[in-house]
């Protein structure tokens, strides 16, 4: 990424990619593997996706925020 000249700081790009990843984890009830899992285990897509994954998404987001803020503060 360092050789690509973009008008945005690298921290903002990492934050955007990580935020998108966390949001996609929370939106996972809309993807086909989860729909198939819901059909086989009898739980709703919302429960299999959001209820089981919201903590994981928050942890990913917080970890990247702490890392990026530390990197910006020290760098």
């Amino acid at each position: 990424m360092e050789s690509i000249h973009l008008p945005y700081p690298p921290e903002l790009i990492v934050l955007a990619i990580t935020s998108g990843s966390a949001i996609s984890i929370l939106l996972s009830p809309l993807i086909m593997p989860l729909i198939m899992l819901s059909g086989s285990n009898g739980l709703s897509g919302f429960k299999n996706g959001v209820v089981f994954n919201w903590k994981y998404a928050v942890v990913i987001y917080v970890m990247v925020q702490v890392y990026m803020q530390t990197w910006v503060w020290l760098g």
Side-chain angles (χ1 to χ4, degrees), residues 25-53:
I25 291 169
L26 290 176
L27 292 177
S28 64
L30 305 176
I31 60 173
M32 184 56 76
L34 194 63
I35 294 170
M36 293 174 61
L37 175 65
S38 297
S40 63
N41 71 4
L43 298 175
S44 70
F46 180 80
K47 186 161 189 162
N48 279 326
V50 176
V51 173
F52 294 150
N53 290 335

Side-chain angles (χ1 to χ4, degrees), residues 33-72:
L34 194 63
I35 294 170
M36 293 174 61
L37 175 65
S38 297
S40 63
N41 71 4
L43 298 175
S44 70
F46 180 80
K47 186 161 189 162
N48 279 326
V50 176
V51 173
F52 294 150
N53 290 335
W54 75 270
K55 293 175 191 173
Y56 178 67
V58 169
V59 167
I60 288 175
Y61 186 76
V62 169
M63 283 176 40
V64 170
Q65 283 296 315
V66 168
Y67 173 76
M68 292 306 297
Q69 293 300 324
T70 303
W71 188 72
V72 168

Side-chain angles (χ1 to χ4, degrees), residues 1-25:
M1 294 282 299
E2 291 180 11
S3 64
I4 301 173
H5 299 288
L6 296 172
Y8 308 108
E11 297 86 13
L12 184 61
I13 295 171
V14 170
L15 179 63
I17 292 170
T18 305
S19 298
S21 176
I23 290 169
S24 70
I25 291 169

